[in-house]
Amino acid sequence: MRRIVSRVNTQSTEFKANHARMSGLVQALREQQRATRFDRPKRDLERIGRQNKLFVRERLELLIDAGSPFLELSSLAACRSYDGEAPGAGLLTGIGLVNGRQVMVHASDPSVKGGAWYPHSVKKIIRALDIALENHLPVVHLCDSAGGYLPLQHEFFADRQYGGRIFRNQVELSKRGIPQVAVVLGHCTAGGAYVPALSDYNIIVRGNGGIFLGGPPLVKAATGEVVSANDLGGCDVHTRISGTADYPAANEQDAIHLAREIVGEVFPPAQPWLADRIEPEQPFYEPDELYGIIPADRKRSFDVREVIARMVDGSRFHEYQPALGTTLVCGFARVFGWKIGIVANNGVLFNDSSLKAAHFIQLCDRDKVPLLFLQNITGFMIGREYEARGITKDGAKMITAQASVRVPKFTVMVGSSFGAGNYGMCGRAFDPRFLFSWPNSQIGVMGGDQAANTLTDIKRGQLARNGAIADEDEIASMRNAILEDYERHSDAYWSTSELWDDGLIDPADTRNALAVAIAASLHRPLDPLASGILRL
């Protein structure tokens, strides 16, 4: 493959200004992640200490292989919810190596409301188990949960994608032969009790560990029986009498060591499919130059090839149909040696760019090449001329091709993601195996300016039909309110708080995140090819 020739002047005033702005965004992201991971009220830290428990990240450090990468997912989930009282939605999820085996980790954080599940906690657990199902990843559950946060039970209990979906997903994992091990490190109450009960293997720590549908206070209230937590559902009850747990452990270190042994020695071996891979090569251009390439003004365009050049091996890229549909860049590259097909926005989607994408996506699917979508899209082109040409039909062809592939898909929001462009470029609804966002990204039905102009024009029309004259001060106030609302609800932090992505990432770390994601995706065998290539 040819190396991309960069035309970026890294000494220009514009590049330096862009670099400074993105550096600030990345620094703010890192600080918020640090606070989410480690800042806790003193009383909660003291409580964990009194209980002789390890903190959730100390547990993680014992679990994963020393010096190995860990891809944390949705680290800022719920950052815009619950007045900041549920950092990380009260739990930790991610992908790491345990005894050389890539696994999904789901770990309760008992320093947040005793590990209780908020609505966003449930959403985060379900997403982690969905990823495990989609990619055939074994799961390690580090359990220490007070169950559902009862004041918000109406937001996580009864619906299809609420709490019951956690347990449904666990059963699906078992049905598909994807193993799970649970480590009971604290009390697992109510719904939390089913996580170890539905795992293939489970371990319980003597003294601190407990599994019960109702804890001692509820038992007393419901039946009048007075019983200690240990006598109700402690280690000896469940390993010697009920059989709910498999292995007793003396302490947390012993329990996590045993979990590592089970993953390495007892779990069936992984059988990843053989994707096209060669010796990895670092990008020719420095990844942190991405900071200077993305304009501070979202309305300014940039050449997405400059982004690709700082993410892929050797900055090498074989561009497909370079002279056709130039607002979309398609082609082949490698990330850590793996061959991938890239579909990247370089402007609005026209008829020709949509059809080029559909054809390229079909080629990648036939040839077993995973797909990477780099989103910076205002949508498909609108207007009388383009409707007459069939832009809706051609956009639908792109969406159909993208939604129908069997190969793994990965999406990175490098800029804006508006309208149906989000759909064509493999937004969340189209099941990319992983979706990451940069801290500068935006997502919405349309941009704030377009929404404000559209809604104020509608308001003027309503007034005119009623014979009234628009008060321009009121219209301006209305427009500003719309802009403010759109800015808040379309920025990257809102998106990641609501788990519309799998995490905000530093642009310079995108290549590393993709490497873990690609490796994880290869555990699931490919389905048979559904159809041949149709030139559209």
Side-chain angles (χ1 to χ4, degrees), residues 5-25:
V5 178
S6 177
R7 293 176 171 80
V8 170
N9 179 3
T10 59
Q11 301 305 312
S12 70
T13 301
E14 182 181 12
F15 180 91
K16 291 178 179 179
N18 292 340
H19 197 287
R21 176 181 177 273
M22 183 65 85
S23 295
L25 293 176

Side-chain angles (χ1 to χ4, degrees), residues 289-528:
E289 289 178 358
L290 288 166
Y291 296 178
I293 291 168
I294 306 301
D297 182 355
R298 291 191 180 102
K299 297 177 183 177
R300 293 282 303 276
S301 63
F302 59 90
D303 187 350
V304 75
R305 296 174 187 84
E306 300 286 0
V307 172
I308 294 169
R310 287 153 181 87
M311 290 171 53
V312 302
D313 290 13
S315 304
R316 302 181 192 281
F317 183 59
H318 174 86
E319 187 166 351
Y320 174 76
Q321 292 187 335
L324 178 70
T326 55
T327 58
L328 192 74
V329 173
C330 299
F332 299 99
R334 292 185 182 271
V335 171
F336 275 84
W338 281 295
K339 184 178 179 181
I340 60 169
I342 297 177
V343 181
N345 298 123
N346 224 25
V348 67
L349 285 163
F350 290 94
N351 299 73
D352 52 0
S353 47
S354 302
L355 294 178
K356 177 171 84 170
H359 190 70
F360 178 73
I361 289 166
Q362 289 180 88
L363 289 170
C364 289
D365 192 39
R366 185 196 65 185
D367 298 338
K368 302 180 182 179
V369 179
L371 282 157
L372 170 63
F373 294 84
L374 300 179
Q375 282 207 22
N376 180 37
I377 181 64
T378 56
F380 292 90
M381 190 61 189
I382 60 174
R384 180 177 177 180
E385 175 186 351
Y386 299 99
E387 291 296 349
R389 292 185 189 178
I391 186 63
T392 303
K393 178 176 64 175
D394 291 341
K397 292 172 184 175
M398 178 181 176
I399 291 171
T400 300
Q402 178 269 110
S404 301
V405 299
R406 60 193 175 135
V407 294
K409 300 178 290 186
F410 311 92
T411 302
V412 181
M413 304 290 190
V414 303
S416 298
S417 177
F418 294 133
N422 172 274
Y423 303 157
M425 291 294 294
C426 196
R428 187 64 137 181
F430 292 86
D431 295 329
R433 300 289 184 92
F434 296 86
L435 188 154
F436 301 109
S437 299
W438 288 359
N440 60 295
S441 64
Q442 270 192 320
I443 183 170
V445 173
M446 61 182 70
D449 284 333
Q450 292 92 331
N453 291 338
T454 300
L455 293 174
T456 52
D457 284 347
I458 290 171
K459 183 65 174 179
R460 284 194 181 94
Q462 289 172 340
L463 291 170
R465 286 193 297 274
N466 293 327
I469 299 174
D471 182 323
E472 289 305 318
D473 288 339
E474 287 186 12
I475 293 293
S477 177
M478 175 183 172
R479 189 176 193 282
N480 290 336
I482 294 167
L483 284 171
E484 183 179 338
D485 183 71
Y486 261 72
E487 188 67 26
R488 170 173 170 75
H489 291 104
S490 64
D491 78 349
Y493 283 90
W494 181 270
S495 178
T496 205
S497 178
E498 293 298 309
L499 289 102
W500 295 348
D501 58 33
D502 294 313
L504 293 187
I505 58 174
D506 178 347
D509 286 339
T510 304
R511 170 180 166 82
N512 297 326
L514 287 172
V516 177
I518 293 169
S521 75
L522 302 181
H523 291 89
R524 172 181 164 182
L526 290 183
D527 297 329

Side-chain angles (χ1 to χ4, degrees), residues 81-307:
S81 299
Y82 317 120
D83 297 321
E85 292 185 358
L91 61 127
L92 180 158
T93 62
I95 298 171
L97 291 178
V98 174
N99 240 333
R101 180 76 175 269
Q102 199 172 35
V103 304
M104 172 63 73
V105 178
H106 153 223
S108 307
D109 185 347
S111 69
V112 180
K113 298 290 185 183
W117 292 348
Y118 285 76
H120 283 60
S121 314
V122 170
K123 195 173 183 180
K124 185 170 175 177
I125 298 168
I126 291 170
R127 176 58 186 155
L129 297 183
D130 279 344
I131 289 172
L133 283 164
E134 290 165 353
N135 298 285
H136 288 201
L137 287 176
V139 182
V140 177
H141 304 275
L142 301 182
C143 305
D144 193 349
S145 172
Y149 182 61
L150 295 180
L152 297 176
Q153 62 85 25
H154 59 287
E155 296 182 34
F156 66 75
F157 177 65
D159 208 352
R160 185 170 183 266
Q161 290 292 331
Y162 284 6
R165 194 74 174 184
I166 296 171
F167 315 127
R168 175 266 183 194
N169 277 2
Q170 285 193 264
V171 173
E172 282 294 315
L173 285 163
S174 187
K175 281 168 56 179
R176 300 183 195 184
I178 304 168
Q180 304 168 74
V181 59
V183 187
V184 180
L185 301 159
H187 290 175
C188 294
T189 308
Y194 286 110
V195 174
L198 290 169
S199 295
D200 302 298
Y201 304 92
N202 67 54
I203 303 156
I204 184 169
V205 175
R206 179 169 280 110
N208 274 345
I211 303 172
F212 23 66
L213 295 181
L218 181 57
V219 169
K220 182 180 179 181
T223 70
E225 181 183 9
V226 177
V227 61
S228 71
N230 200 48
D231 289 340
L232 179 64
C235 178
D236 288 336
V237 170
H238 286 313
T239 58
R240 294 183 177 183
I241 302 171
S242 77
T244 302
D246 302 316
Y247 305 94
N251 51 46
E252 293 197 13
Q253 292 86 345
D254 181 37
I256 293 172
H257 176 79
L258 185 53
R260 285 180 49 82
E261 183 178 322
I262 289 170
V263 171
E265 305 294 336
V266 179
F267 279 10
Q271 296 179 323
W273 60 276
L274 297 177
D276 183 341
R277 192 183 190 196
I278 61 174
E279 190 68 24
E281 182 182 1
Q282 290 296 315
F284 181 77
Y285 303 104
E286 291 297 326
D288 65 5
E289 289 178 358
L290 288 166
Y291 296 178
I293 291 168
I294 306 301
D297 182 355
R298 291 191 180 102
K299 297 177 183 177
R300 293 282 303 276
S301 63
F302 59 90
D303 187 350
V304 75
R305 296 174 187 84
E306 300 286 0
V307 172

